[in-house]
Amino acid sequence: MKTKQRILEAALTLFNEQGERAVTTNHIAAYLNISPGNLYYHFKNKQEIIYQLFLEYEAQVLENLHVPEDRELTAMDKVNYLKKSFNGLWNCRFLHRDMEHLLSSNEALRLRYQEFFKVCLVQVGKVYRGLREVGMIALSDEELESLALNTWIVVTSWFSFLRCNLLIQSQDDISHEMLLAGIHQVFTLERPYLTDEYREQVIALQHAESPKPDWLG
Amino acid sequence: MKTKQRILEAALTLFNEQGERAVTTNHIAAYLNISPGNLYYHFKNKQEIIYQLFLEYEAQVLENLHVPEDRELTAMDKVNYLKKSFNGLWNCRFLHRDMEHLLSSNEALRLRYQEFFKVCLVQVGKVYRGLREVGMIALSDEELESLALNTWIVVTSWFSFLRCNLLIQSQDDISHEMLLAGIHQVFTLERPYLTDEYREQVIALQHAESPKPDWLG
């Protein structure tokens, strides 16, 4: 693997484990057994590393949210959209852990993130439109837009919600199971709009794929 | 006003305006024209001030979420619950601005907050149960619990959502109008459960009390 990519992977690991604020470029260089000078040859500063990691995250999310045009959406597609979204969040969990801080200290990232949000909201809307077209959910355009925004808020706040409200010890990390429980919670946003034709099938699939954990409510 | 209360009010003002991390006990003392020693006579450190401010916030929220037992809930009650909740958040907005940081650096606050969350979730559930009893919404117990949790997440994430996704300049502050738009958004969570009997009336009230702003979706 090239050094540049190794730096990005090391930074992602350290940021996820320790939080971005606690990790310096020197830590990253030491972790890789390379000199700080070698690191600076590839990245001017930590902000550049973060920006590059965000670009990779962004590309992954937009690929995950792609809506096929040559076939109809299925109930399993919906589950997969959510699984991919939460796994993506997990892989790059340092981002949403301290998003306000990251955005307030990096203007380029903030502008990029706000554009990303708009594009994501359109894509989430497309997914719900696809589900409406096949008759899985029934709702007005206005309801669909609100549903897309609520989905965005619950998905992107899920980590912070878990850490502030449910982790017993502040040093505990979120388990993958806790993360996936977010799928269950997001599903409840859409559930009231399921049509009679699809309700049973979709709820059964949801219970199989992301059952409600005992600790959730 | 007694010095202790003046310190709390000054701290709240400064924390809200500048963020808690940027404000020291010395700043608070200087703002009040008192000596640091005078401040320390009342509060051992900044953490104690934050904890006391949280206790006041907690008492206010629990009072706001009180469900009357001698009469039925009305659609206007629901609007008022949301108005009071968002105004309470606004008055103590430093808390949710950096909640993860506050909780990770103050174990007593973290434990208290997690208990507060549980009590709030029960209270929000009681409000929705009250609305179900009068026939305004129709939903199962499981749906009601999910609705209460989604309400909690959207309400408590609303600030962070606005700042990360919508504020044009990172130094811009959230306007009161932007805050109140959260009422509109939370209402959309409950809207699909409105019964035929109440739907028109409640939606009309909602549009009058918290219309959807143009910039929201």
Side-chain angles (χ1 to χ4, degrees), chain B residues 81-98:
Chain B
Y81 280 122
L82 286 171
K83 279 193 176 173
K84 285 180 187 168
S85 297
F86 277 97
N87 279 318
L89 279 169
W90 177 253
N91 291 337
C92 208
R93 56 194 178 278
F94 84 92
L95 268 183
H96 278 281
R97 174 152 209 170
D98 210 2

Side-chain angles (χ1 to χ4, degrees), chain A residues 113-136:
Chain A
Y113 182 74
Q114 295 196 342
E115 282 307 307
F116 169 68
F117 159 64
K118 286 181 203 156
V119 175
C120 283
L121 206 58
V122 170
Q123 282 306 114
V124 174
K126 274 190 193 169
V127 171
Y128 283 128
R129 278 188 173 75
L131 298 177
R132 183 170 69 177
E133 269 166 35
V134 298
M136 202 180 300

